[in-house]
Amino acid sequence: MKSVKKYWEEHLSAAQSEGCSLSGYAKKHGLSVKPLHYWHNKLNKPVVERIETSEGSKFVKLRVAQAVGVQESRSCSLVLPSGTRLELSSLPELEWLAALGRAAQGGD
């Protein structure tokens, strides 16, 4: 008997192979889109470890590790403080991210 996790992993892998959206894949295969998105988020959630910084610091050091058993994706989603969500097909250059951060804060 297949585990629930394995069941959804196989569907998510198939959706990625077909190159269609999760909603499109769910509709095509008669699946409910809500659990498909739930498992996608659950299985792709990175493991984040918070490391304490000096008192009064505005920055928090984070170390992000790839979640176990998840295929690495080269795509990137960014959510800006305004709530605007950017979906990128590949990881951007560090300099581009820094410029975006400055622009989002009203800098150059």
Side-chain angles (χ1 to χ4, degrees):
M1 185 171 190
K2 196 182 300 184
S3 74
V4 173
K5 178 182 174 186
K6 186 72 174 163
Y7 173 82
W8 290 108
E9 282 177 335
E10 288 175 2
H11 277 295
L12 291 167
S13 179
Q16 185 175 16
S17 295
E18 290 181 20
C20 59
S21 69
L22 293 180
S23 299
Y25 178 86
K27 185 175 182 178
K28 181 178 177 181
H29 294 278
L31 298 171
S32 175
V33 72
K34 189 172 182 177
L36 191 60
H37 278 284
Y38 168 81
W39 280 98
H40 176 265
N41 292 335
K42 182 177 177 81
L43 296 172
N44 289 298
K45 185 176 183 180
V47 179
V48 178
E49 178 184 335
R50 182 181 175 139
I51 302 169
E52 295 300 321
T53 59
S54 61
E55 193 172 317
S57 175
K58 293 183 179 181
F59 297 97
V60 176
K61 292 181 185 177
L62 295 177
R63 190 183 78 198
V64 179
Q66 181 69 28
V68 178
V70 176
Q71 293 180 351
E72 185 175 335
S73 172
R74 301 307 293 172
S75 63
C76 181
S77 297
L78 299 172
V79 180
L80 302 177
S82 65
T84 302
R85 183 181 182 98
L86 300 174
E87 297 286 339
L88 306 168
S89 61
S90 62
L91 298 174
E93 295 293 324
L94 183 58
E95 294 79 17
W96 184 87
L97 284 174
L100 178 65
R102 287 190 301 273
Q105 294 177 346
D108 25 276

